[in-house]
Amino acid sequence: TFDDGPDPEWTPKVLDELKRYDAHGVFFITGTMASRYPELVRRMVKEGHEVGLHTFNHPDLSLKSTSQIDWQLSQNQLALAGAAGIRSSLFRPPYSSDAQAMDDRTWPVARYVGNRGYITVLESADSEDWKRPGTDAIVERATPKGTKGAIVLMHDSGGDRSQTVEALARYLPEMKARGYRFTNLTEALGAPSAHTPVTGTALWKGKAWVAAVTLSDNITSVLVVGLSVIGFLVITRFGLMLALSFAHARKVRAARFTWGPPVTEPVTVLVPAYNERECIAHTVNSLTASEHPIEVIVVDDGSNDGTADIVEALRLPGVHVVRQPNAGKPAALNNGIAHARHDIVVMMDGDTVFEPATVRELVQPFADPRVGAVAGNAKVGNRDTLIGAWQHIEYVMGFNLDRRMYDMLGCMPTIPGAVGAFRRRALERVGGMSEDTLAEDTDITMALHRDGWRVVYAERARAWTEAPESVQQLWSQRYRWSYGTMQAIWKHRRALVERGPSGRFGRVGLPLVSLFMVLAPLLAPLIDVFLLYGLVFGPTQRTVLAWLGVLAVQAVCAAYAFRLDREPANHLVSLPLQQILYRQLMYVVLLQSWITALTGGRLRWQKLRRTGVVEAPGTTTAPPLGGGADQNRRPVT
């Protein structure tokens, strides 16, 4: 008897040896292997061997319920019907031994399966070939004691079975010379054949099952290539991120590092706002604590919830309100730039708060006249929920490690809308904020690169933003981000063939952004697809280990990113769950963005609901709305 097959490498060699010596045996097959290699099952039956069941995917049945045992048997029969058009009454439980080894744990399984009409087949001579003890040892252990017959246990799958094949070449002729016959079990028992033909619906269900598995195996061959590609990309990206992030941190944290003379001149902070009633007071109050001289312009984009009135009621010095009919964020920013009095313009969202040092740290790189824009360090403020914690991990691990890497490569793709600064002259040279895409921050960043400006990352310029708190809001936000990024890449595609700074960005930055932000995430779920496939069809252990290996690599990167950002690592406890659930959500979002892009669909801006719970560390709560001195002060409009 041979367990665990059929195997594409070893089963044919076992069958060849049996045919060579006119010997028959019983092959106890698993449903997973029979589904994948049906032609070998058909050969077994055609050459006169008996086939028995060895469960679908080789579990320990003593740990399974009766319904789970039934499922293992029915799926095993389904695979056998599809492969050879038969059912079998023979059964061998995985991890079985001889009859003397039956105990209170294994006997109930044999009794239950027997009541289902099966003959449970154990062994009386275990070759222990799975231990690979050597050909001599296998032959010795498989030899019956005295002159009795025996049920000999061997394996034709589950590992390297070269010793089994070599042992058969000796064992079969030696036993025949001693007068033994190698026959089917039912023949030895004087019982009817174990095989029963399958017809009708049961036959077609089996054939459909095997056909589906065959198709999936063919698809799997393609997916393996895809998985190899994504594996290479993931390892390459993580390697670049770790190496270049370390180099970036070492450079900017060096004691003698400087961008140039300290930047001390005043700057303008623009706050585009549309229906930000819950957040706007925290936002503008955080700016009044700035350690750098600023003017604040809140551009109210046609809010209908009194956002502008709230800002005016605060009566904060240096904070002005510009009202406009609703025209969108790019128009609001361009209106704010037109009202700005200073050469450096800081942009932030209406749901974001700055630390006192944020603006000062954000503008220091402008000491280098080549710098046209600076990306700040956006932090998730509402990280106490599960979705918030997942986004916190994404911001620290993905966005901020990415920005360090892209900074070192000179191709930063995005200045975050929550915290970024621009040289006004650079904005004017590229035509200001564009309404061509839904990702105006990515669009303007790419335009600045193409115009020859440096775009850098200021890690100490921290801003605290309110991340979406529901799946629906998160979906809307990321859908817009993904689609907007695709629009920006398409808009600036000519950079691929242009010369000068535009060409340098086009041949370095655009491919990296397209690869790591648009294409690679589509392949990322293959890791989880293979995990599910391996759990059902095997090899389970190696599949789980491979998946855990990928998770371990991500955990190392995440831990390093948290260390660089000086963040406590307690939120990394949810990293495995984030990889299982959050990654799938981002995949579906990106897939929907691809569909929208390929079908020529248009996506509108969608306003997210805010709660106003985010404050910068160390700040105080905003004063009551409408309070303060100078009640007669009029806003700038």
Side-chain angles (χ1 to χ4, degrees), residues 270-346:
L270 300 183
V271 186
Y274 174 71
N275 289 347
E276 300 286 0
R277 177 182 179 86
E278 292 81 6
C279 311
I280 197 66
H282 287 314
T283 299
V284 294
N285 272 287
S286 73
L287 294 171
T288 61
S290 175
E291 297 172 358
H292 193 91
I294 61 173
E295 70 161 347
V296 179
I297 299 177
V298 177
V299 184
D300 183 79
D301 186 36
S303 299
N304 54 28
D305 68 345
T307 295
D309 297 333
I310 291 172
V311 178
E312 292 169 354
L314 293 174
R315 304 183 187 280
L316 299 173
V319 177
H320 314 299
V321 175
V322 174
R323 298 175 184 259
Q324 69 174 36
N326 182 250
K329 186 177 181 181
L333 290 171
N334 286 330
N335 195 1
I337 294 169
H339 284 80
R341 293 187 298 169
H342 304 297
D343 294 330
I344 296 175
V345 177
V346 173

Side-chain angles (χ1 to χ4, degrees), residues 169-191:
R170 279 180 45 193
Y171 179 72
L172 293 172
E174 287 182 9
M175 293 299 101
K176 281 206 163 191
R178 291 174 54 179
Y180 284 96
R181 289 187 302 118
F182 292 91
T183 185
N184 288 331
L185 182 67
T186 53
E187 184 181 344
L189 295 175

